[in-house]
Amino acid sequence: MANNGMKGLAKDTAIYGVSSILGRLLNWCLFPLHVHVFSNTAEYGRIGYIYGFTALLMVLLTYGMETGFFRFMNKKDENVDKVYSTSLLSLATTSFLFVLFCFSFIVPISEWMNYTDHKEHIGMMAIVVAIDAFTCIPFAYLRYQKRPIRFATLKMVNIFANIILNVFFLVVCPWILKHYPDFYLIKFYHPEMGIGYVFLANLLSTLTVLILLIPTAMKNLKFSFDAALLRRMLIYSFPLLILGLAGVINQAVAQLTYPFLFEDKNEAFSQLGIYTACIKITVIITMFTQAFRYAYEPFFFSKGKEESSNTKPYAAAMKFFIIFSLLVFLGVMFYLDILKYLVSENYIVGLTVVPIAMLGEIFFGIYFNLSVWYKLTDKTKYGAYFSVFGCLIQLAINIIFVPMYGYIASAWATLICNLIITFISYFIGQKYLPVKYDLKNILFYFLFAAICYTFAMYPQIDNEVLRLGYRTLFLILFVAVIVKKDLPLSEIPVINKYFGKK
């Protein structure tokens, strides 16, 4: 049963990866486009600033209901139709009120954000975050129904629409304006809008997905609102809201705080632009974690519903998550000399944050894996405690050290924060839901990855081809050890059939 569960988890992870890994990889391609189009680092910093607030508002507007939705949909004594309709109607109401509030008070909001020059950017992203919050429940319902292909398709539509519109506004329109200035369709294009076209592209792609998702959202919807049920869901989800807020501050603390930490606002946005551009390289780890999360959360909740005392799948999931995260880390670091060409010359100076930030993301993924204990035992308040504590660490380090050392302090703050909350969650979690993690092998892989990294990066080899070839040998060595210890080729059915022992 455990093997079947892990196979199902692996299958769903692969399918969700189409939208999460491949999709976000495609979306990631916008990053080199943006840093080359907006060579002024302060302009790119403004994009990061707005998206930092959208991430924070997304957590506020979903208020933990996505996880609460899965929890109550898997409770035997709950009516699944009521759970779906109640959560959907709740998010629809709060999202609408949010948009109404933002447009009613757009001037004081823009003044508080020190973003008075382009209030329309705030308005567009307010609509985007409201739509994304509303659609999180229909997307969660697709995951509950185990319809990963439909889920992935809609996510890919969003990403492709966003990419196409970005290329159209930032590349095609300027080219047409330069070569065919009298072309009548180009009259709508205004170059001075600048980064506003990034937000407009996001808005249009989000509206496209909303239109496509409405038939799915409405198909099984029975307009039945249960106030008592909503109250129970909110009680369960509220600690997750606190957890989410602290978590997004941990992830986007630089984007949220830099304009308040520097007297020179242009310097603040310039530092933020460099930092935001360089940590985009670490999104490879984030994509892997996100794909894993999409499949893992429904998986462990369904195991909880079965009241299984078998925790081996959780331990196995943790070990393989760490193994492949370290593999990704080594791959990125060994070939950073190639990846740096994605970054415009004005941003290369910030590449020193990449290894620190990637390790921070790995520990955040480990922390998510550990969260199974407080989600299954309904002790979500502990998750809130951990995240708030980590958030305070992040804020303290950024406020104290960023004005002194710049963006490198933000990378260290993320790593230190995620490392601390990971260890705290592990030791407390063992008291409530003991999981026998393979600590011996996990420690081995961390140490072995550190050895491979040190010996591969230490020699100063001037020839780039030789340098990359030398580092590749250590990557192959790491893969070979994984295959030998935990993925023996003899256990792969095809190889075993033709080359195994008779």
Side-chain angles (χ1 to χ4, degrees), residues 139-306:
F139 274 118
Y141 193 54
L142 289 175
R143 291 163 58 194
Y144 171 77
Q145 292 179 312
K146 302 208 182 297
R147 297 176 61 188
I149 295 177
R150 175 67 174 168
F151 178 97
T153 300
L154 290 172
K155 290 289 186 180
M156 291 294 288
V157 167
N158 187 12
I159 291 165
F160 274 116
N162 191 36
I163 292 173
I164 292 170
L165 288 168
N166 266 271
V167 172
F168 176 71
F169 288 132
L170 301 180
V171 179
V172 176
C173 286
W175 185 87
I176 294 176
L177 184 64
K178 179 180 180 180
H179 294 88
Y180 304 98
D182 296 327
F183 185 54
Y184 74 97
L185 288 179
I186 205 62
K187 299 302 180 183
F188 74 90
Y189 177 73
H190 303 284
E192 65 275 9
M193 187 171 173
I195 63 173
Y197 281 115
V198 174
F199 305 127
L200 179 59
N202 197 337
L203 174 60
L204 294 175
S205 61
T206 301
L207 286 170
T208 300
V209 172
L210 174 64
I211 294 170
L212 295 174
L213 188 59
I214 284 176
T216 300
M218 302 298 291
K219 183 177 180 180
N220 296 315
L221 178 62
K222 297 178 181 179
F223 288 93
S224 175
F225 183 80
D226 189 331
L229 170 62
L230 178 62
R231 183 176 180 274
R232 295 198 305 274
M233 293 182 73
L234 290 176
I235 291 173
Y236 174 83
S237 300
F238 181 74
L240 296 177
L241 167 61
I242 305 301
L243 184 155
L245 286 174
V248 77
I249 291 174
N250 287 342
Q251 295 290 302
V253 64
Q255 289 89 330
L256 294 170
T257 60
Y258 273 38
F260 303 97
L261 298 178
F262 294 86
E263 292 185 8
D264 185 345
K265 300 306 176 188
N266 191 66
E267 172 66 13
F269 285 119
S270 180
Q271 289 262 340
L272 180 58
I274 295 171
Y275 179 70
T276 302
C278 291
I279 63 171
K280 286 287 186 181
I281 294 176
T282 69
V283 81
I284 298 174
I285 286 286
T286 308
M287 289 188 294
F288 173 67
T289 303
Q290 186 72 11
F292 185 85
R293 172 180 173 269
Y294 278 139
Y296 191 49
E297 198 166 60
F299 169 75
F300 72 65
F301 272 130
S302 65
K303 295 290 289 181
K305 184 177 180 180
E306 296 167 6

